Amino acid sequence: MKFNLKVWRQKNANTPGKLVDYSIDNINGDMSFLEMVDVLNDNLVRQGEDPIAFDHDCREGICGMCSMYINGRAHGPQHAATTCQLYMRSFKDGDTVYVEPWRAKAFPVIKDLVTDRSAFDRIIAKGGFVSVNTGQAQDANNLPVNKAYAEKAMDAAACIGCGACVAACPNSAAMLFVSAKISQLALLPQGEPERNNRAIAMVNQMDEDGFGNCTNIGACEAECPKEIKLTNIARLNREYIAASVINE
Amino acid sequence: MWEYCGMARTEEGLTKALDLLKDLRESFWKEVRVPGSVSEFNPELDKAGRVADFIELGELMVIDALNRNESCGGHFRVEYQDNGEAKRDDDNYRYAAAWEFKGVDAEPALHKEELVYENIKLQVRSYK
Ligand code: SF4
Ligand code: FES
């Protein structure tokens, strides 16, 4: 397959970037989007040009490192898939494909398609610890968990922290991410002692890092590769309000 | 590495691997071309550093495999076997080896961490 690519090239955070045209041929439809960029980079290195910097790690949809805004969509056109799980057969031969980095104030560009997502790490760090008793593990039946809650907690825990929700959101809100992390624990008895402090601290850090606020647009849910539900944001709001009252 | 320091190793193969690795290391450092510079975010430099590490690690594995004149666990030296069964030499090699880097092209120094078994008796493992 053959593609015309328009890729965002930016030297660093202080230099303005621009879209640069590349054409690439002999791409196998079963290559992932990242593999296609690998081939392009290989060509660039051979021509003595600077290869395109991009984030990647597991290449199997579980780490959340890959982060490309493809044809105006976070992680590209395929539903519920990360960039590494997006295959070139999803495009038509000869297509023009735009590739940009995540764009949000809280995710400054480091180089080309690589952005600094450490704001997410700071939010997670603010979430703090979860107390558990040490010593012998207690009998599982001592801690009954409603099956529906257990499943919702598992679904929320599927969030890989990629930041597509922020990139897709016109407010650059990180609410879907934060709500997934909050929900995963708020639905379970573990971590109950820190529940209120956790909600307040994570939301405060989210604001401090310059993320916007949710206005129920739903672009995050539509673009999330792990299909995190918008209802988690309702839970986050509930947790935050309840914690604000209780912590008064 | 697969060819000469794989599942079955011989003194001859390992010695050859050491020579090949030396050539590889030299040509790597002479011919490596890393795009970009050190003063910027540079994933290519990262990759080049990793390749350099792998070459070093490869040499280390070969040196250690050559030194260990026995067969033990994943280290099968063809010269040391009883009809295909690994032949250990507990008297001489009952230690974990740590090699100290003494500079490029200098022999590394071997430090031995003796293995002391208090509760079990060393025996020959047999699958027969
Ligand atoms: S909620 Fe979805 S889009 Fe947002 S960080 Fe988690 S996995 Fe990525
Ligand atoms: S590279 Fe890990 S999710 Fe894509």
Side-chain angles (χ1 to χ4, degrees):
Chain A
M1 299 174 85
K2 198 173 152 77
F3 297 99
N4 301 310
L5 301 163
K6 289 180 181 293
V7 184
W8 186 261
R9 301 300 313 256
Q10 184 170 346
K11 202 169 163 35
N12 52 44
N14 307 318
T15 316
K18 61 172 195 299
L19 286 168
V20 176
D21 288 301
Y22 297 101
S23 59
I24 191 162
D25 206 349
N26 287 325
I27 292 295
N28 184 316
D30 296 332
M31 278 182 180
S32 75
F33 202 85
L34 299 186
E35 283 163 344
M36 182 276 294
V37 181
D38 286 336
V39 173
L40 175 61
N41 273 348
D42 203 46
N43 294 345
L44 290 178
V45 171
R46 278 169 212 282
Q47 290 157 18
E49 285 177 51
D50 193 23
I52 300 157
F54 65 99
D55 265 333
H56 59 106
D57 191 13
C58 71
R59 299 202 178 204
E60 56 178 11
I62 56 170
C63 76
M65 273 305 275
C66 56
S67 49
M68 292 184 191
Y69 217 75
I70 303 161
N71 283 346
R73 294 190 61 186
H75 292 302
Q78 201 172 311
H79 177 66
T82 51
T83 304
C84 58
Q85 300 286 289
L86 169 68
Y87 294 93
M88 296 317 291
R89 55 181 179 262
S90 320
F91 299 88
K92 281 205 294 294
D93 196 15
D95 266 0
T96 297
V97 185
Y98 287 79
V99 193
E100 295 168 82
W102 281 177
R103 295 196 192 278
K105 193 172 120 212
F107 290 162
V109 169
I110 295 174
K111 188 181 177 190
D112 300 336
L113 305 173
V114 178
T115 56
D116 180 357
R117 285 172 284 174
S118 49
F120 269 14
D121 297 336
R122 287 190 290 276
I123 296 173
I124 292 287
K126 275 289 151 67
F129 55 84
V130 166
S131 337
V132 283
N133 290 330
T134 54
Q136 206 165 16
Q138 65 173 326
D139 189 288
N141 292 332
N142 286 343
L143 210 65
V145 179
N146 178 320
K147 179 151 190 297
Y149 285 2
E151 278 176 359
K152 280 185 185 151
M154 278 298 279
D155 287 347
C159 164
I160 53 174
C162 62
C165 44
V166 177
C169 177
N171 304 322
S172 295
M175 299 274 282
L176 195 66
F177 164 75
V178 176
S179 72
K181 301 300 167 195
I182 290 275
S183 295
Q184 163 191 345
L185 291 167
L187 288 160
L188 298 175
Q190 291 90 345
E192 185 68 31
E194 294 84 17
R195 181 176 187 168
N196 296 318
N197 289 343
R198 181 165 49 237
I200 304 266
M202 288 177 85
V203 169
N204 287 348
Q205 186 62 42
M206 171 180 100
D207 292 341
E208 209 170 288
D209 268 310
F211 292 104
N213 285 311
C214 177
T215 50
N216 290 321
I217 291 168
C220 54
E221 185 189 58
E223 296 295 33
C224 172
K226 297 293 148 185
E227 303 185 286
I228 301 295
K229 295 272 163 302
L230 212 52
T231 46
N232 286 303
I233 296 186
R235 187 175 300 102
L236 167 66
N237 288 332
R238 213 152 60 227
E239 289 291 315
Y240 182 73
I241 293 165
S244 310
V245 174
I246 294 163
N247 278 13
E248 255 305 293
Chain B
M1 292 302 289
W2 182 253
E3 203 89 356
Y4 300 114
C5 192
M7 277 169 277
R9 300 110 185 243
T10 62
E11 184 176 349
E12 197 196 337
L14 289 165
T15 314
K16 181 162 183 197
L18 218 45
D19 280 344
L20 291 172
L21 277 164
K22 192 167 171 278
D23 293 348
L24 188 67
R25 171 159 48 81
E26 276 166 13
S27 64
F28 171 79
W29 286 104
K30 236 184 263 148
E31 290 161 27
V32 68
R33 185 165 64 83
V34 185
S37 71
V38 276
S39 54
E40 60 179 342
F41 178 77
N42 190 346
E44 300 306 310
L45 182 61
D46 193 33
K47 285 180 209 160
R50 244 180 285 168
V51 174
D53 282 351
F54 285 144
I55 296 174
E56 244 173 59
L57 185 65
E59 269 187 300
L60 179 68
M61 277 174 75
V62 172
I63 288 169
D64 191 60
L66 195 54
N67 179 69
R68 194 169 276 274
N69 293 314
E70 64 162 353
S71 292
C72 178
H75 167 70
F76 186 80
R77 279 281 299 270
V78 176
E79 302 94 329
Y80 304 100
Q81 56 170 309
D82 278 328
N83 275 327
E85 292 286 338
K87 197 164 139 203
R88 267 194 351 239
D89 179 353
D90 292 333
D91 293 337
N92 292 311
Y93 294 98
R94 198 173 59 206
Y95 60 79
W99 292 91
E100 184 186 344
F101 182 69
K102 289 280 192 187
V104 184
D105 287 330
E107 290 269 319
L110 172 62
H111 297 276
K112 297 177 182 176
E113 185 189 315
E114 299 295 337
L115 299 173
V116 185
Y117 296 93
E118 283 167 355
N119 297 322
I120 54 163
K121 208 165 107 252
L122 282 176
Q123 282 174 331
V124 174
R125 180 186 281 184
S126 170
Y127 294 104
K128 279 183 182 151

